[in-house]
Amino acid sequence: MSSFGTAAVLQTEDPNAIKIRMKVEPWDTAYCCLPMIRPRWYTYIRENSIEQNRPCFCPPFCCMQSCIFDNVTVNYVDRSPFTPSCFGMCPGKFVSAYETMYILYCIPTKCCYDLFCKCILGESVVRVPCDNKICKRCGCACPYLTCIKDSEKIALELEKSRERAKGGATVVPTAERMEAN
């Protein structure tokens, strides 16, 4: 019988802390009409997972701090959306949504997005089934992070996290570290 919390992906470099590799910055206009929510919004790319808080509130009846509810999620890098899709046949990849902005596969729409939408919606990171033009442009992209800045940089960091997990746990489990000391 295995004990709780012993999965390889849950082991961290420091047994008493989880290293944050990147703090994702929200787009300037994200939640602009809700100043009481903005301070609680965050996304951290951590050494073994991604953690997000997307606070909620009860409109239109309440706009006080007591009506805000945290909505925290954690996705570990050994589970979806980091793992291969299509029954393991497609490795999948995180990319900036800019790489998927095409109509009829060949007409780029990035300039239209930048002109009309980016000022309000910011940038996005999406998950595509495969790292080829067909999958990126066919409409198969699944949004993962939205209303953010620096989508290319964030997509690259998510890919690094996925690659570290795919290479196996390089971290020595906590029990072995304690025995070595």
Side-chain angles (χ1 to χ4, degrees):
M1 178 182 266
S2 62
S3 357
F4 292 104
T6 58
V9 73
L10 299 179
Q11 308 311 309
T12 57
E13 292 173 16
D14 178 349
N16 298 314
I18 298 173
K19 185 187 295 183
I20 295 174
R21 297 201 186 275
M22 176 186 271
K23 292 182 180 181
V24 175
E25 196 172 345
W27 191 252
D28 294 330
T29 57
Y31 302 110
C32 62
C33 57
L34 306 170
M36 67 264 192
I37 286 181
R38 192 172 176 87
R40 300 195 65 82
W41 185 101
Y42 69 85
T43 298
Y44 298 143
I45 299 174
R46 306 183 315 179
E47 65 183 294
N48 61 353
S49 61
I50 183 165
E51 179 179 329
Q52 303 180 76
N53 185 22
R54 298 297 182 266
C56 305
F57 73 109
C58 304
F61 308 110
C62 187
C63 53
M64 300 179 329
Q65 285 291 342
S66 61
C67 295
I68 297 172
F69 302 96
D70 289 322
N71 182 23
V72 178
T73 59
V74 176
N75 292 86
Y76 288 94
V77 295
D78 69 335
R79 298 281 187 250
S80 180
F82 293 92
T83 54
S85 55
C86 303
F87 306 103
M89 295 185 298
C90 298
K93 184 172 184 175
F94 289 101
V95 297
S96 170
Y98 285 136
E99 293 186 47
T100 65
M101 293 183 178
Y102 289 85
I103 296 174
L104 301 175
Y105 181 76
C106 60
I107 304 168
T109 59
K110 178 187 181 299
C111 58
C112 295
Y113 182 84
D114 284 349
L115 188 61
F116 300 111
C117 302
K118 185 176 177 179
C119 60
I120 297 170
L121 302 175
E123 297 178 23
S124 299
V125 171
V126 299
R127 172 95 167 143
V128 292
C130 295
D131 188 21
N132 62 48
K133 285 183 182 179
I134 295 170
C135 281
K136 287 180 183 177
R137 297 179 181 184
C138 73
C140 298
C142 178
Y144 187 63
L145 294 175
T146 57
C147 294
I148 57 171
K149 295 180 181 178
D150 254 348
S151 60
E152 286 97 354
K153 183 178 170 184
I154 293 164
L156 183 61
E157 187 60 37
L158 287 169
E159 278 301 303
K160 286 180 189 176
S161 293
R162 195 174 67 82
E163 287 299 316
R164 281 190 292 269
K166 191 167 64 173
T170 56
V171 179
V172 179
T174 308
E176 291 178 28
R177 275 185 288 207
M178 290 179 172
E179 289 173 12
N181 293 333

